[in-house]
Amino acid sequence: MTTVIQTRNVSKRYKAVAAVDDLSIEFEEHRIHGLLGRNGAGKTTLMQLLTGQLFATSGQISVFGEEPVENADVLRRVCFIQEGQVYPDGFTPEHVLTVARGIHAGWDEETARYLVDVFELPTDRKIKKLSRGQLSAIGIIVGIASRAELTFFDEPYLGLDAVARKNFYDELLRDFSEHPRTIVISSHHIDEIAPLLETVTVIDSGKLMMRHEVEDLADAASSFSGTRAAIDEFAEYVDVLERTDVGGLSTIVVRGTVPRPVLERASELKLERQPASLQDLFVALTESARHERRARQNV
Amino acid sequence: MQRTGNVLRVHFADRKGTFLAPLIVLGIVVIVIGLIGAVATATGTDREALWEGMQYNGAVWALLGMGIGIGFATMGQHLSFALGMGITRREWVIGSGLMFVIMAASITAIVVIGKIIELATSGWGMGVRMFDTVHTGTGPWWQTAIQTFLIALAGMCFCAMIGSVWNRWGKTGLSWLGGVALILLVLVFGIGIIAPWEQVLRLLETLMGFGWGVWMSVLAGSTVVSAIVWAILTRRAEVR
Amino acid sequence: MIDDSRPLFMQIADRIAEGILDDTYPEDTAVPSTNELAKHLRINPATAGKGLTLLVEQGVLVKRRGIGMFVAVGARDLLVRDRSESFAAEFIAPMIHAAKQLGLSREELITAIEKELS
């Protein structure tokens, strides 16, 4: 599979803070990738680096095999739908569509008009007067109708209600299956978009937490629950990401596949085993990273 | 070329905002000046004196001042939007520079045509003037053309440069710029106070004595310097 | 439907298999395409494709170049055989386990089953 995006030890520092911290990731061609992380995890910064809007402090970035910064040959193949995109004063959605139509070679006007109908977007109203959901709809329409070879959606459905979100998933999948391309969606609403994704990349505090094929996620983590004493013993054998204790009962989220002998011990200890959902895994990963950071700060 | 077209599309997508708003301002100014002329005619004011006095009328700045707005907007929201749409900084500077020239030329066309009509109709038949003034020159039409073009272009480039300082260093950058301007001002006035009056007067006389060509060269020079600084700073501009 | 904890593509395969068992998709007829499944279920087309491929590997579906996926002749029997084999492990064993926990005797369990059957 061709790799479209590759970063090597990329960092973006603002004075003391590293928004992206020594990140090495890859995204392959013609797949829908999920970029997950809490607010402020560095998702937007990473996307801005990948689209040449920011200059990396260190490390290498390659998009379509080249540096994206100031590279018109790369950027013309990319569409970036940014959360909180700034639009010039006085612009209406129609103005944005006009500009996007000129910029994207693959632009499909029929799709754009169809999507304007689907999302009931008032195209002649000043953007300043639009709701958060309508603002998101502009981005979704441009992102889908541009048919760019590489499309980034940064938190694409903020402010959209349940019906509009379903519309977004439907239209994205419809257009993607007819016109395969590489799509990266960032989100912190995880379980809802999980079925759309082929791969999942989780970042936290600008660092890579994990990268998995969605179909392997069942192997990425599982949760075990049982009596506190049983869990105390079992926790010795496995890589514990998160633990919750309620009364005499405990639940732990365990990273990775659990070897058969350990599983046998689990059944001897009468532990209940369940695959962790993507959301569980995500929370567990980011929480444990936070504890580690805190522990380091306290030393 | 196609990519430069994209930049122009960003600037001109909102035609109402770009063209209509300044023309409305111009229209209001024209109405006010027409009213002045009408009142003057009704009250029997000396037409010669009116014509003479109105050569200082600054109404043309309603047009020239557009450059300020255009320059700032280019580095403010428009740059963020353009970078978000995948336009490179280099393309942005080239395309916006072209837009500056187009806008300055349009303003010049309005002023020169206005001036020609003004002169042909002896002040719109009322002895009032707003295009044939000291601001854009009371000499031949081609001098007015060059002067108007340079003032408008200088305004755009200078404000775009300030915008790029803001983009790179934020408020701190603007404070530094303001600080430098303040020091220069203090120096100039300081010399004025300390130096003997005669010398200051002589200096002023020499300055005033410079011909039109010298002043235009100074204006053109500052425009070029602003444009170069703007282009260099924008090369490393980031979205804010 | 997407709440099961198994990988999504296995759930997709199961869903199609169930459709074959209950005659929604009779033998030698077409099943939904990858893209139709993806759109209908709001899932990634690659995942839907993997679900269909799994059934092709099991011999339940056949690929007809340029037309799509069809239910193989004999697919229903294959599925019935397959499921009968796992039936005991998947359903009967847990039932007996639950019955033991409740302290039901062998006779009581059989009576309960017969009651449900009638």
Side-chain angles (χ1 to χ4, degrees):
Chain A
M1 216 174 299
T2 317
T3 301
V4 170
I5 297 172
Q6 188 170 46
T7 74
R8 288 230 181 286
N9 311 105
V10 162
S11 298
K12 176 67 181 174
R13 272 181 215 99
Y14 294 99
K15 289 184 184 138
V17 192
V20 166
D21 195 357
D22 200 30
L23 200 58
S24 301
I25 49 148
E26 279 183 22
F27 292 119
E28 303 81 13
E29 189 181 48
H30 294 181
R31 309 179 90 183
I32 303 181
H33 303 275
L35 177 62
L36 310 181
R38 299 151 54 102
N39 284 328
K43 305 183 297 273
T44 303
T45 307
L46 175 62
M47 288 181 163
Q48 287 176 330
L49 286 166
L50 295 173
T51 52
Q53 299 199 55
L54 298 178
F55 295 89
T57 314
S58 60
Q60 279 106 47
I61 298 174
S62 148
V63 176
F64 294 117
E66 292 175 43
E67 275 272 329
V69 163
E70 286 299 273
N71 191 333
D73 289 335
V74 169
L75 296 178
R76 78 172 79 231
R77 301 162 74 181
V78 177
C79 178
F80 178 22
I81 302 308
Q82 194 172 349
E83 198 255 304
Q85 169 73 58
V86 178
Y87 295 104
D89 271 343
F91 260 44
T92 63
E94 196 60 50
H95 296 142
V96 179
L97 296 181
T98 305
V99 172
R101 189 186 306 131
I103 282 178
H104 297 289
W107 181 264
D108 189 87
E109 184 66 18
E110 206 179 306
T111 301
R113 293 297 145 191
Y114 163 73
L115 292 173
V116 163
D117 272 358
V118 168
F119 289 99
E120 297 172 340
L121 181 67
T123 49
D124 287 326
R125 196 177 298 170
K126 289 254 164 80
I127 288 179
K128 267 183 290 182
K129 291 184 180 155
L130 298 183
S131 69
R132 190 72 196 77
Q134 289 169 321
L135 214 56
S136 293
I138 299 177
I140 289 169
I141 294 168
V142 171
I144 294 176
S146 65
R147 300 253 169 92
E149 284 171 71
L150 171 59
T151 306
F152 294 93
F153 284 105
D154 185 13
E155 302 276 0
Y157 42 62
L158 292 183
L160 291 184
D161 60 26
V163 176
R165 286 206 303 276
K166 283 212 161 60
N167 284 338
F168 167 55
Y169 305 142
D170 286 352
E171 299 306 331
L172 181 72
L173 286 173
R174 192 175 61 84
D175 213 69
F176 172 78
S177 44
E178 286 159 18
H179 305 273
R181 51 210 208 245
T182 310
I183 292 174
V184 180
I185 305 182
S186 86
S187 173
H188 62 272
H189 290 195
I190 293 158
D191 277 346
E192 195 172 293
I193 69 156
L196 261 68
L197 308 174
E198 227 183 311
T199 79
V200 172
T201 301
V202 178
I203 62 173
D204 194 54
S205 298
K207 286 193 170 69
L208 181 66
M209 303 301 298
M210 67 155 210
R211 148 82 199 231
H212 260 285
E213 301 289 308
V214 165
E215 66 174 84
D216 299 339
L217 276 175
D219 298 334
S222 39
S223 78
F224 291 84
S225 44
T227 61
R228 192 179 277 236
I231 290 290
D232 279 343
E233 186 203 321
F234 188 66
E236 300 286 316
Y237 312 132
V238 289
D239 184 1
V240 179
L241 283 171
E242 197 195 15
R243 175 170 180 154
T244 41
D245 298 300
V246 179
L249 293 175
S250 298
T251 303
I252 51 175
V253 177
V254 174
R255 188 206 295 264
T257 42
V258 179
R260 187 163 288 272
V262 178
L263 273 183
E264 275 161 17
R265 184 70 193 134
S267 68
E268 283 163 25
L269 289 167
K270 297 202 165 28
L271 300 183
E272 188 90 14
R273 177 181 180 230
Q274 275 186 331
S277 75
L278 184 52
Q279 180 81 37
D280 291 340
L281 178 58
F282 172 72
V283 170
L285 277 171
T286 50
E287 283 296 305
S288 74
R290 209 151 54 112
H291 290 313
E292 268 171 42
R293 269 201 304 283
R294 229 179 258 155
R296 234 179 295 138
Q297 278 162 5
N298 291 341
V299 168
Chain B
M1 203 52 238
Q2 141 102 65
R3 304 281 300 180
T4 308
N6 291 334
V7 177
L8 293 183
R9 213 168 279 120
V10 172
H11 284 297
F12 295 140
D14 179 20
R15 279 186 211 89
K16 268 190 222 159
T18 319
F19 297 111
L20 204 61
L23 287 178
I24 287 173
V25 173
L26 180 69
I28 293 170
V29 169
V30 165
I31 290 169
V32 169
I33 286 171
L35 279 176
I36 292 173
V39 168
T41 312
T43 54
T45 313
D46 179 10
R47 211 170 257 199
E48 282 293 313
L50 184 64
W51 176 259
E52 196 58 29
M54 280 191 87
Q55 67 174 303
Y56 303 104
N57 177 14
V60 73
W61 285 102
L63 271 176
L64 300 177
M66 270 176 70
I68 294 169
I70 292 172
F72 281 133
T74 296
M75 290 311 289
Q77 303 155 343
H78 285 71
L79 174 71
S80 283
F81 176 64
L83 288 179
M85 296 302 281
I87 290 168
T88 67
R89 294 158 186 81
R90 190 188 140 80
E91 289 164 345
W92 184 245
V93 168
I94 293 172
S96 299
L98 184 64
M99 186 269 290
F100 289 173
V101 171
I102 294 173
M103 291 308 284
S106 314
I107 292 171
T108 304
I110 295 175
V111 171
V112 170
I113 292 170
K115 176 182 172 117
I116 290 169
I117 298 175
E118 207 160 80
L119 290 174
T121 58
S122 310
W124 312 94
M126 296 179 286
V128 290
R129 66 208 280 194
M130 65 172 289
F131 295 114
D132 184 50
T133 64
V134 294
H135 307 285
T136 49
T138 50
W141 71 268
W142 58 268
Q143 279 196 346
T144 296
I146 293 173
Q147 194 165 335
T148 309
F149 182 77
L150 284 177
I151 291 174
L153 193 62
M156 293 177 211
C157 291
F158 185 71
C159 292
M161 180 190 76
I162 293 178
S164 62
V165 169
W166 170 78
N167 179 286
R168 293 291 297 277
W169 298 290
K171 280 187 188 142
T172 330
L174 290 189
S175 310
W176 274 99
L177 212 63
V180 170
L182 200 69
I183 289 167
L184 282 178
L185 220 64
V186 168
L187 274 179
V188 168
F189 276 95
I191 290 168
I193 291 165
I194 295 162
W197 273 110
E198 283 165 34
Q199 272 184 23
V200 175
L201 277 178
R202 207 170 310 135
L203 184 72
L204 277 177
E205 246 167 55
T206 333
L207 282 178
M208 299 306 278
F210 283 156
W212 177 83
V214 177
W215 282 111
M216 287 306 108
S217 310
V218 170
L219 199 52
S222 4
T223 306
V224 170
V225 169
S226 303
I228 291 173
V229 174
W230 165 54
I232 290 172
L233 292 184
T234 305
R235 284 183 63 131
R236 296 283 301 179
E238 295 193 327
V239 286
R240 298 180 60 93
Chain C
M1 88 119 222
I2 302 165
D3 50 17
D4 196 319
S5 48
R6 285 169 313 145
L8 204 48
F9 72 99
M10 290 189 181
Q11 297 177 49
I12 306 299
D14 262 8
R15 209 177 152 114
I16 301 286
E18 263 151 38
I20 294 169
L21 284 171
D22 67 15
D23 260 353
T24 310
Y25 310 119
E27 291 185 3
D28 211 25
T29 61
V31 293
S33 72
T34 301
N35 288 341
E36 282 165 351
L37 276 176
K39 270 180 262 175
H40 181 61
L41 302 172
R42 293 199 184 87
I43 56 167
N44 191 294
T47 310
K50 262 174 211 141
L52 291 175
T53 309
L54 189 66
L55 292 174
V56 172
E57 282 164 7
Q58 291 171 352
V60 175
L61 297 180
V62 285
K63 214 180 262 181
R64 291 199 189 147
R65 200 169 287 269
I67 317 177
M69 299 276 192
F70 284 74
V71 181
V73 176
R76 210 173 165 280
D77 288 344
L78 190 72
L79 286 170
V80 168
R81 213 180 318 129
D82 221 40
R83 300 219 160 185
S84 310
E85 274 169 22
S86 57
F87 182 72
E90 250 179 69
F91 298 98
I92 299 181
M95 180 180 75
I96 291 172
H97 181 75
K100 270 188 191 154
Q101 278 185 335
L102 293 176
L104 294 182
S105 72
R106 191 188 184 91
E107 287 70 31
E108 279 167 325
L109 179 60
I110 292 171
T111 317
I113 294 171
E114 279 174 342
K115 197 176 148 198
E116 282 299 313
L117 281 171
S118 57

